[in-house]
Amino acid sequence: MTLAPDRLRQELRAREPDAAQIGIVRAPGRVNLIGEHTDYNQGLALPCAIDLEVAIAFVRTDDRRVELTRLDNGERCGFNLAKIEPARGEWIDYVAGTARYLAAAGAAVEGLRGVIGTTLPDSAGLASSAALEIAVAWALCAAPPPPVQLAEIAQRVENDYLGLRSGLMDQLAVTLGRRDAALLIDCRSLEWRPVALPLDRYAILVCDSGTPRRLGDSRYNQRRAECEAVAAALGLDSLRDATPALLAELRGRFDPVALRRAEHVVAENHRVLDCAAALEAGDMKTVGSLFAASHASLRDLFEVSSPELDALVEIAVSLPGVAAARLTGAGFGGCTVNLVERSARSEVGEAIMREYQARTGRSGRVFEVEPADAAGVLEPGS
């Protein structure tokens, strides 16, 4: 599911026949195993980078222009590094914003012409925007900032340039990914460690509901505002330090909807730690229970699930060989993540999609993904 460097190189040469030193960079997407809407609350998350990716083949230029062509639709967009305009509601905004904040951080940003390809489904909750930002950073800079700093720069693109008040989990997963592990990330201290996965027995299946998620509307930012309101009412910097007892003190005198959001976050942080321990112990029964509790909480307390996502999870957990299933990512559409016995993965994937279409009338997709390494250079350019 990775993009072949030879194909990228050929696509670029077809457009730039005089290209000499062609560089190729890549950045993975991510699937979040558990820990949803916790990152912007300074909480815990357990994502892993995956082998669906964004890749760019490019040649550097001296004219301070950035020009990229998408291989999926042939669209070509660009901008001048000397005068980066405000966001205009197009995919190139992620590129322009990354260039702006890299330069603001003191990175040496260079012009380029290139082609960009992806195996990540768009708007599916698999961090396609973070992968684009980080891949672009590796193309724009001969020496990008260190991983955590680069993740923070990419987060600024979304927060300050695009107006989406997202957390840091996606960018950290993309910059820190490990081929054989998930990442237990503390989004307050930015400490992290790899968590071994039982990949000899279980495969990761991602089921795309075929309902694109759009985080640019008000609902995502509204959820964050509700969480921050509860933290402020408790006199806390974030919900990371909230407890069920503290939340109980607000009942009857604070917005009950906001309190439900906070209840999800407080419990989800504990589920992340319990899930990491269960995965390392190979206790898949506990993992399944934690996934189920997380999905129910996102559905009932945080209200970011959908009938399609609920259907995918209900179908999956009814099938032999499925150890765990839940929505992944911010919700509002997108995908579910499923841990499935390797011997049953093909049969399970087909059964989920068959029943899903029968129930919803929608055609979904199944991706079998593997944990992947962090973003970086495939082939150096000039």
Side-chain angles (χ1 to χ4, degrees), residues 160-180:
D160 300 342
Y161 191 66
L162 301 173
L164 178 64
R165 302 185 65 221
S166 56
L168 192 57
M169 176 188 66
D170 289 1
Q171 290 82 2
L172 286 172
V174 174
T175 60
L176 296 170
R178 292 291 187 90
R179 184 173 298 182
D180 57 353

PDB file of all heavy atoms in Angstrom, residues 160-180:
ATOM      1  N   ASP A 160      -3.615  27.615  13.640  1.00  0.00           N
ATOM      2  CA  ASP A 160      -3.487  29.053  13.384  1.00  0.00           C
ATOM      3  C   ASP A 160      -3.769  29.436  11.937  1.00  0.00           C
ATOM      4  O   ASP A 160      -4.305  30.517  11.683  1.00  0.00           O
ATOM      5  CB  ASP A 160      -2.075  29.528  13.764  1.00  0.00           C
ATOM      6  CG  ASP A 160      -1.755  29.291  15.233  1.00  0.00           C
ATOM      7  OD1 ASP A 160      -2.696  29.085  16.020  1.00  0.00           O
ATOM      8  OD2 ASP A 160      -0.567  29.287  15.592  1.00  0.00           O
ATOM      9  N   TYR A 161      -3.409  28.580  11.003  1.00  0.00           N
ATOM     10  CA  TYR A 161      -3.578  28.923   9.584  1.00  0.00           C
ATOM     11  C   TYR A 161      -4.941  28.493   9.063  1.00  0.00           C
ATOM     12  O   TYR A 161      -5.583  29.204   8.297  1.00  0.00           O
ATOM     13  CB  TYR A 161      -2.464  28.271   8.770  1.00  0.00           C
ATOM     14  CG  TYR A 161      -2.346  28.740   7.342  1.00  0.00           C
ATOM     15  CD1 TYR A 161      -1.978  30.058   7.041  1.00  0.00           C
ATOM     16  CD2 TYR A 161      -2.589  27.868   6.281  1.00  0.00           C
ATOM     17  CE1 TYR A 161      -1.856  30.484   5.733  1.00  0.00           C
ATOM     18  CE2 TYR A 161      -2.459  28.291   4.964  1.00  0.00           C
ATOM     19  CZ  TYR A 161      -2.105  29.598   4.698  1.00  0.00           C
ATOM     20  OH  TYR A 161      -1.986  30.017   3.396  1.00  0.00           O
ATOM     21  N   LEU A 162      -5.399  27.320   9.517  1.00  0.00           N
ATOM     22  CA  LEU A 162      -6.662  26.779   9.004  1.00  0.00           C
ATOM     23  C   LEU A 162      -7.826  26.924   9.976  1.00  0.00           C
ATOM     24  O   LEU A 162      -8.974  26.722   9.594  1.00  0.00           O
ATOM     25  CB  LEU A 162      -6.485  25.301   8.649  1.00  0.00           C
ATOM     26  CG  LEU A 162      -5.403  25.017   7.602  1.00  0.00           C
ATOM     27  CD1 LEU A 162      -5.193  23.523   7.447  1.00  0.00           C
ATOM     28  CD2 LEU A 162      -5.777  25.635   6.268  1.00  0.00           C
ATOM     29  N   GLY A 163      -7.554  27.247  11.224  1.00  0.00           N
ATOM     30  CA  GLY A 163      -8.622  27.512  12.178  1.00  0.00           C
ATOM     31  C   GLY A 163      -9.261  26.284  12.797  1.00  0.00           C
ATOM     32  O   GLY A 163     -10.331  26.386  13.403  1.00  0.00           O
ATOM     33  N   LEU A 164      -8.620  25.117  12.666  1.00  0.00           N
ATOM     34  CA  LEU A 164      -9.132  23.904  13.296  1.00  0.00           C
ATOM     35  C   LEU A 164      -8.362  23.676  14.582  1.00  0.00           C
ATOM     36  O   LEU A 164      -7.139  23.503  14.557  1.00  0.00           O
ATOM     37  CB  LEU A 164      -8.965  22.705  12.362  1.00  0.00           C
ATOM     38  CG  LEU A 164      -9.417  21.356  12.928  1.00  0.00           C
ATOM     39  CD1 LEU A 164     -10.913  21.364  13.194  1.00  0.00           C
ATOM     40  CD2 LEU A 164      -9.046  20.225  11.980  1.00  0.00           C
ATOM     41  N   ARG A 165      -9.050  23.643  15.714  1.00  0.00           N
ATOM     42  CA  ARG A 165      -8.372  23.596  17.009  1.00  0.00           C
ATOM     43  C   ARG A 165      -8.060  22.150  17.412  1.00  0.00           C
ATOM     44  O   ARG A 165      -8.448  21.668  18.463  1.00  0.00           O
ATOM     45  CB  ARG A 165      -9.221  24.299  18.061  1.00  0.00           C
ATOM     46  CG  ARG A 165      -9.519  25.764  17.706  1.00  0.00           C
ATOM     47  CD  ARG A 165     -10.248  26.470  18.808  1.00  0.00           C
ATOM     48  NE  ARG A 165      -9.409  26.570  19.990  1.00  0.00           N
ATOM     49  CZ  ARG A 165      -9.850  26.389  21.231  1.00  0.00           C
ATOM     50  NH1 ARG A 165     -11.109  26.054  21.450  1.00  0.00           N
ATOM     51  NH2 ARG A 165      -9.025  26.509  22.252  1.00  0.00           N
ATOM     52  N   SER A 166      -7.339  21.473  16.557  1.00  0.00           N
ATOM     53  CA  SER A 166      -7.025  20.065  16.766  1.00  0.00           C
ATOM     54  C   SER A 166      -5.838  19.904  17.703  1.00  0.00           C
ATOM     55  O   SER A 166      -5.076  20.832  17.954  1.00  0.00           O
ATOM     56  CB  SER A 166      -6.723  19.397  15.428  1.00  0.00           C
ATOM     57  OG  SER A 166      -5.678  20.075  14.765  1.00  0.00           O
ATOM     58  N   GLY A 167      -5.688  18.676  18.198  1.00  0.00           N
ATOM     59  CA  GLY A 167      -4.576  18.359  19.072  1.00  0.00           C
ATOM     60  C   GLY A 167      -3.351  17.943  18.293  1.00  0.00           C
ATOM     61  O   GLY A 167      -3.233  18.172  17.086  1.00  0.00           O
ATOM     62  N   LEU A 168      -2.446  17.263  18.988  1.00  0.00           N
ATOM     63  CA  LEU A 168      -1.120  16.968  18.435  1.00  0.00           C
ATOM     64  C   LEU A 168      -0.917  15.485  18.116  1.00  0.00           C
ATOM     65  O   LEU A 168       0.116  15.110  17.578  1.00  0.00           O
ATOM     66  CB  LEU A 168      -0.063  17.439  19.443  1.00  0.00           C
ATOM     67  CG  LEU A 168       1.403  17.509  19.036  1.00  0.00           C
ATOM     68  CD1 LEU A 168       1.592  18.414  17.820  1.00  0.00           C
ATOM     69  CD2 LEU A 168       2.249  18.010  20.197  1.00  0.00           C
ATOM     70  N   MET A 169      -1.916  14.653  18.391  1.00  0.00           N
ATOM     71  CA  MET A 169      -1.715  13.219  18.238  1.00  0.00           C
ATOM     72  C   MET A 169      -1.343  12.819  16.817  1.00  0.00           C
ATOM     73  O   MET A 169      -0.409  12.039  16.600  1.00  0.00           O
ATOM     74  CB  MET A 169      -2.967  12.454  18.651  1.00  0.00           C
ATOM     75  CG  MET A 169      -2.861  10.956  18.416  1.00  0.00           C
ATOM     76  SD  MET A 169      -4.388  10.068  18.691  1.00  0.00           S
ATOM     77  CE  MET A 169      -5.434  10.718  17.391  1.00  0.00           C
ATOM     78  N   ASP A 170      -2.089  13.314  15.836  1.00  0.00           N
ATOM     79  CA  ASP A 170      -1.847  12.892  14.456  1.00  0.00           C
ATOM     80  C   ASP A 170      -0.414  13.186  14.030  1.00  0.00           C
ATOM     81  O   ASP A 170       0.282  12.327  13.473  1.00  0.00           O
ATOM     82  CB  ASP A 170      -2.806  13.603  13.498  1.00  0.00           C
ATOM     83  CG  ASP A 170      -4.228  13.104  13.625  1.00  0.00           C
ATOM     84  OD1 ASP A 170      -4.490  12.223  14.452  1.00  0.00           O
ATOM     85  OD2 ASP A 170      -5.088  13.611  12.875  1.00  0.00           O
ATOM     86  N   GLN A 171       0.020  14.407  14.275  1.00  0.00           N
ATOM     87  CA  GLN A 171       1.359  14.809  13.828  1.00  0.00           C
ATOM     88  C   GLN A 171       2.451  14.029  14.567  1.00  0.00           C
ATOM     89  O   GLN A 171       3.465  13.662  13.966  1.00  0.00           O
ATOM     90  CB  GLN A 171       1.537  16.314  14.024  1.00  0.00           C
ATOM     91  CG  GLN A 171       0.716  17.178  13.085  1.00  0.00           C
ATOM     92  CD  GLN A 171      -0.721  17.373  13.536  1.00  0.00           C
ATOM     93  OE1 GLN A 171      -1.125  16.894  14.599  1.00  0.00           O
ATOM     94  NE2 GLN A 171      -1.504  18.091  12.746  1.00  0.00           N
ATOM     95  N   LEU A 172       2.248  13.761  15.854  1.00  0.00           N
ATOM     96  CA  LEU A 172       3.237  12.976  16.595  1.00  0.00           C
ATOM     97  C   LEU A 172       3.302  11.541  16.067  1.00  0.00           C
ATOM     98  O   LEU A 172       4.388  10.966  15.942  1.00  0.00           O
ATOM     99  CB  LEU A 172       2.907  12.972  18.084  1.00  0.00           C
ATOM    100  CG  LEU A 172       3.200  14.271  18.830  1.00  0.00           C
ATOM    101  CD1 LEU A 172       2.640  14.194  20.246  1.00  0.00           C
ATOM    102  CD2 LEU A 172       4.705  14.562  18.874  1.00  0.00           C
ATOM    103  N   ALA A 173       2.154  10.955  15.764  1.00  0.00           N
ATOM    104  CA  ALA A 173       2.158   9.597  15.218  1.00  0.00           C
ATOM    105  C   ALA A 173       2.923   9.546  13.901  1.00  0.00           C
ATOM    106  O   ALA A 173       3.668   8.598  13.633  1.00  0.00           O
ATOM    107  CB  ALA A 173       0.727   9.108  15.025  1.00  0.00           C
ATOM    108  N   VAL A 174       2.747  10.576  13.068  1.00  0.00           N
ATOM    109  CA  VAL A 174       3.399  10.601  11.755  1.00  0.00           C
ATOM    110  C   VAL A 174       4.904  10.807  11.888  1.00  0.00           C
ATOM    111  O   VAL A 174       5.691  10.226  11.134  1.00  0.00           O
ATOM    112  CB  VAL A 174       2.772  11.702  10.877  1.00  0.00           C
ATOM    113  CG1 VAL A 174       3.521  11.850   9.559  1.00  0.00           C
ATOM    114  CG2 VAL A 174       1.297  11.386  10.608  1.00  0.00           C
ATOM    115  N   THR A 175       5.333  11.615  12.849  1.00  0.00           N
ATOM    116  CA  THR A 175       6.761  11.917  12.981  1.00  0.00           C
ATOM    117  C   THR A 175       7.510  10.915  13.854  1.00  0.00           C
ATOM    118  O   THR A 175       8.746  10.886  13.832  1.00  0.00           O
ATOM    119  CB  THR A 175       6.995  13.326  13.563  1.00  0.00           C
ATOM    120  OG1 THR A 175       6.393  13.412  14.866  1.00  0.00           O
ATOM    121  CG2 THR A 175       6.400  14.396  12.662  1.00  0.00           C
ATOM    122  N   LEU A 176       6.786  10.097  14.630  1.00  0.00           N
ATOM    123  CA  LEU A 176       7.443   9.187  15.569  1.00  0.00           C
ATOM    124  C   LEU A 176       7.173   7.715  15.279  1.00  0.00           C
ATOM    125  O   LEU A 176       7.645   6.846  16.024  1.00  0.00           O
ATOM    126  CB  LEU A 176       6.969   9.481  16.998  1.00  0.00           C
ATOM    127  CG  LEU A 176       7.314  10.862  17.575  1.00  0.00           C
ATOM    128  CD1 LEU A 176       6.576  11.073  18.891  1.00  0.00           C
ATOM    129  CD2 LEU A 176       8.812  11.009  17.773  1.00  0.00           C
ATOM    130  N   GLY A 177       6.435   7.405  14.227  1.00  0.00           N
ATOM    131  CA  GLY A 177       5.951   6.056  13.981  1.00  0.00           C
ATOM    132  C   GLY A 177       7.018   4.971  14.053  1.00  0.00           C
ATOM    133  O   GLY A 177       8.180   5.195  13.727  1.00  0.00           O
ATOM    134  N   ARG A 178       6.580   3.776  14.475  1.00  0.00           N
ATOM    135  CA  ARG A 178       7.443   2.594  14.545  1.00  0.00           C
ATOM    136  C   ARG A 178       6.814   1.466  13.739  1.00  0.00           C
ATOM    137  O   ARG A 178       5.610   1.223  13.834  1.00  0.00           O
ATOM    138  CB  ARG A 178       7.600   2.134  15.997  1.00  0.00           C
ATOM    139  CG  ARG A 178       8.375   3.085  16.894  1.00  0.00           C
ATOM    140  CD  ARG A 178       9.843   3.138  16.508  1.00  0.00           C
ATOM    141  NE  ARG A 178      10.624   3.919  17.450  1.00  0.00           N
ATOM    142  CZ  ARG A 178      11.217   3.400  18.528  1.00  0.00           C
ATOM    143  NH1 ARG A 178      11.087   2.116  18.809  1.00  0.00           N
ATOM    144  NH2 ARG A 178      11.915   4.170  19.331  1.00  0.00           N
ATOM    145  N   ARG A 179       7.637   0.746  13.021  1.00  0.00           N
ATOM    146  CA  ARG A 179       7.134  -0.296  12.124  1.00  0.00           C
ATOM    147  C   ARG A 179       6.423  -1.422  12.856  1.00  0.00           C
ATOM    148  O   ARG A 179       5.525  -2.056  12.308  1.00  0.00           O
ATOM    149  CB  ARG A 179       8.285  -0.861  11.296  1.00  0.00           C
ATOM    150  CG  ARG A 179       7.879  -1.887  10.270  1.00  0.00           C
ATOM    151  CD  ARG A 179       9.033  -2.267   9.382  1.00  0.00           C
ATOM    152  NE  ARG A 179       9.519  -1.122   8.623  1.00  0.00           N
ATOM    153  CZ  ARG A 179      10.506  -1.195   7.728  1.00  0.00           C
ATOM    154  NH1 ARG A 179      11.115  -2.354   7.513  1.00  0.00           N
ATOM    155  NH2 ARG A 179      10.896  -0.121   7.075  1.00  0.00           N
ATOM    156  N   ASP A 180       6.788  -1.684  14.100  1.00  0.00           N
ATOM    157  CA  ASP A 180       6.264  -2.862  14.788  1.00  0.00           C
ATOM    158  C   ASP A 180       5.457  -2.535  16.029  1.00  0.00           C
ATOM    159  O   ASP A 180       5.201  -3.411  16.848  1.00  0.00           O
ATOM    160  CB  ASP A 180       7.420  -3.788  15.189  1.00  0.00           C
ATOM    161  CG  ASP A 180       8.444  -3.064  16.069  1.00  0.00           C
ATOM    162  OD1 ASP A 180       8.325  -1.835  16.240  1.00  0.00           O
ATOM    163  OD2 ASP A 180       9.361  -3.729  16.585  1.00  0.00           O
TER     164      ASP A 180
END
